[in-house]
């Protein structure tokens, strides 16, 4: 192989970022923070911030985080839904940043549903 | 809502729900005129005329999961309570702009609050879209635009760890400025 040019490097870079974004495409776990007016007023932003920090610390590429609108269960906000591929989605209620960290580490990473915070099987 | 940043998060989420892929948020402090102005603009599908008439009615909503719609009514209420007002301009198919003004030193005016948290939440939960933030105050101007950040990194996705870290560093200047 001859001398590498800037263009070659750019190509390699593009390829790698394509591969990573492909990896981003296959989500095995989907975490949804419900962010309607009710969720936001009850503290959904802090829950999301904790989740972002946890995501920054994991090597897992197959977890997707989303914000969505109100579930219709405003009294139990902040609500978070964890959907693991092939399993029933779990809705967690009255979340805060600590509960979010626990759910992330135990349920998302280790597959152990945290029944104490679960509202229902959705 | 304890912070204006939470109102901003709420209204901007509406834009994302309306299919916007570009959101502009500005916060302007005018100490001389004792005014604070917040605008949230998106390029979503806009608000149809018949909905616009009732948009700040708390008992009106287009969603079906519940019977109340509080987001814009709460913001309007806060603005009015603080000697200001809220206006909504929308062009169906083009986008929507919400402007809220406040008397800056009004005793009831909530603090701007954790704007960095609001922006990171919006960016992280809507990685396909772009967001621009401009804050103009007595201390100067801060501009953060995810489009520019992505361009610096050869258009890699905003959720790419390196790009996201860079963005987090930019957010630090917001935390120290307000």
């Amino acid at each position: 192989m001859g001398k590498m040019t800037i263009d070659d490097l750019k190509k390699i870079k593009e390829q790698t970022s394509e591969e990573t974004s492909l990896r981003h495409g296959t989500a095995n776990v989907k975490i949804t923070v419900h962010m309607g007016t009710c969720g936001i007023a009850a503290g959904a932003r802090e829950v999301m911030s904790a989740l972002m920090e946890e995501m920054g610390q994991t090597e897992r590429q197959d977890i997707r985080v989303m914000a969505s609108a109100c579930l219709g269960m405003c009294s139990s906000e902040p609500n978070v839904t964890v959907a693991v591929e092939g399993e029933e989605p779990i809705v967690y209620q009255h979340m805060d940043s600590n509960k979010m960290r626990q759910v992330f580490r135990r349920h998302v990473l280790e597959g152990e549903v945290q029944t104490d915070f679960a509202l229902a099987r959705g | 809502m304890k912070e204006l940043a939470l109102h901003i998060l709420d209204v901007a989420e509406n834009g994302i729900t309306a299919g916007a892929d570009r959101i502009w948020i500005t916060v302007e402090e005018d100490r001389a005129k004792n005014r604070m102005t917040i605008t949230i603009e998106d390029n979503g599908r806009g608000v149809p005329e018949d909905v616009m008439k009732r948009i700040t009615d708390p008992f009106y909503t287009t969603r079906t999961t519940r019977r109340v719609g509080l987001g814009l009514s709460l913001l309007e209420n806060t603005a009015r309570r603080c000697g200001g007002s809220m206006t909504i301009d929308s062009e169906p198919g083009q986008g929507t702009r919400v402007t809220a003004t406040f008397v800056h030193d009004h005793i009831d005016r909530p603090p701007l609050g954790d704007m960095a948290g609001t922006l990171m939440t919006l960016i992280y939960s809507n990685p396909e879209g772009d967001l621009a933030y401009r804050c103009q105050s007595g201390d100067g101007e801060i501009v953060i635009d995810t489009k520019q950040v992505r361009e610096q990194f050869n258009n890699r996705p905003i959720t790419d760890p390196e790009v996201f870290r860079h963005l987090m560093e930019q957010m630090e200047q917001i935390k120290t400025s307000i």
Side-chain angles (χ1 to χ4, degrees), chain A residues 11-61:
Chain A
K11 244 179 241 164
I12 293 173
K13 197 172 181 183
E14 271 164 26
Q15 254 175 9
T16 326
S17 62
E18 249 174 53
E19 277 167 20
T20 13
S21 52
L22 273 182
R23 249 184 288 157
H24 282 293
T26 54
N28 290 328
V29 187
K30 210 168 83 181
I31 308 171
T32 311
V33 182
H34 298 278
M35 286 211 163
T37 305
C38 45
I40 292 170
R45 190 187 61 194
E46 283 65 34
V47 172
M48 184 59 115
S49 298
L51 184 55
M52 279 192 269
E53 273 174 35
E54 291 295 322
M55 285 290 286
Q57 284 165 21
T58 178
E59 299 283 308
R60 291 266 298 263
Q61 298 281 343

Side-chain angles (χ1 to χ4, degrees), chain A residues 43-108:
Chain A
R45 190 187 61 194
E46 283 65 34
V47 172
M48 184 59 115
S49 298
L51 184 55
M52 279 192 269
E53 273 174 35
E54 291 295 322
M55 285 290 286
Q57 284 165 21
T58 178
E59 299 283 308
R60 291 266 298 263
Q61 298 281 343
D62 60 335
I63 304 168
R64 270 198 69 193
V65 173
M66 294 172 61
S68 82
C70 163
L71 263 184
M73 295 188 285
C74 308
S75 58
S76 66
E77 293 282 359
N79 294 314
V80 173
T81 305
V82 175
V84 180
E85 182 80 26
E87 288 173 28
E88 284 171 291
I90 306 289
V91 178
Y92 289 104
Q93 59 173 346
H94 299 299
M95 293 297 276
D96 60 26
S97 41
N98 280 338
K99 287 177 181 173
M100 188 66 243
R101 286 177 211 281
Q102 182 176 330
V103 164
F104 187 84
R105 291 179 195 173
R106 307 277 281 274
H107 183 179
V108 176

Side-chain angles (χ1 to χ4, degrees), chain B residues 33-36 75-86 100-110:
Chain B
K33 288 185 185 154
N34 197 19
R35 267 257 169 291
M36 183 165 182
L75 177 59
E76 184 178 48
N77 226 300
T78 306
R80 282 189 181 167
R81 194 171 65 222
C82 306
S85 62
M86 184 189 80
T101 59
F102 310 84
V103 169
H104 193 281
D105 68 0
H106 199 287
I107 190 129
D108 284 333
R109 184 180 68 79

